[in-house]
Amino acid sequence: MAVDELDTRILRLLLEQPRTSVREYARVLGVARGTLQARLDRMEREGVITGTGPSLSPAALGHPVLAFVHIEVTQGHLDDVGDALAAVPEIVEAFSITGGGDLLARVVGRDNAHLEDVIQKLISLPGVVRTRTEVALRERVPFRLLPLVESVGRAARP
């Protein structure tokens, strides 16, 4: 999907001021509300905008320990293990990967003992051969998309 300069300005506002109304976004950008809504609808339809919910902190929800778990899977069982991972509430993300392992999961825990319990649960899943865990010490760059949006916007300028 081609994203033009107006789209990037809209995305910037969504990221910087997520709780603002469509009417206010249109006013700030100097475009008609209908134009703005059509752009938002198109970007949602084309998968640029994938959600509008709040960002939540696992730490504030009582799960301050963050780990990245590499999971090696028996051949032919990737989908089954992926489905089983979805049933573990402490897994907040999981990806199929290349390199060391078949899956990479972002896992949260209440403390190190709880993290160990979650990892033991993962190891016991049918199709899991082994895991390798790396515990995060400190977040250095929080999840962000604004620099990418700005880069795309610069590239879209004539």
Side-chain angles (χ1 to χ4, degrees):
M1 181 211 146
V3 175
D4 65 16
E5 190 171 356
L6 177 57
D7 292 334
T8 60
R9 290 173 54 215
I10 293 168
L11 293 170
R12 181 191 228 329
L13 276 177
L14 286 173
L15 291 169
E16 291 178 338
Q17 303 172 32
R19 297 177 62 137
T20 302
S21 69
V22 172
R23 175 175 285 147
E24 181 62 14
Y25 289 145
R27 187 193 68 72
V28 168
L29 293 169
V31 298
R33 184 178 182 281
T35 299
L36 180 69
Q37 189 63 59
R39 296 270 185 144
L40 289 171
D41 292 345
R42 177 182 51 82
M43 287 191 282
E44 285 180 13
R45 196 172 48 252
E46 294 180 359
V48 174
I49 299 172
T50 59
T52 57
S55 294
L56 304 177
S57 166
L61 292 170
H63 289 69
V65 178
L66 170 64
F68 299 94
V69 180
H70 297 260
I71 304 167
E72 188 176 322
V73 176
T74 304
Q75 278 192 322
H77 290 87
L78 190 60
D79 289 339
D80 296 334
V81 173
D83 291 344
L85 295 180
V88 179
E90 294 86 358
I91 295 180
V92 295
E93 282 184 302
F95 301 90
S96 298
I97 61 169
T98 63
D102 300 298
L103 295 164
L104 177 65
R106 188 164 67 127
V107 181
V108 296
R110 292 185 301 272
D111 52 35
N112 286 346
H114 179 230
L115 176 64
E116 181 182 11
D117 293 342
V118 173
I119 292 166
Q120 290 302 317
K121 186 185 304 184
L122 299 180
I123 291 169
S124 71
L125 293 175
V128 172
V129 175
R130 73 178 50 87
T131 65
R132 188 180 90 245
T133 302
E134 298 164 350
V135 175
L137 299 176
R138 180 182 302 161
E139 183 177 66
R140 298 295 181 165
V141 178
F143 181 80
R144 72 220 176 115
L145 289 174
L146 187 54
L148 178 62
V149 168
E150 290 173 339
S151 174
V152 169
R154 283 190 299 275
R157 290 186 187 126

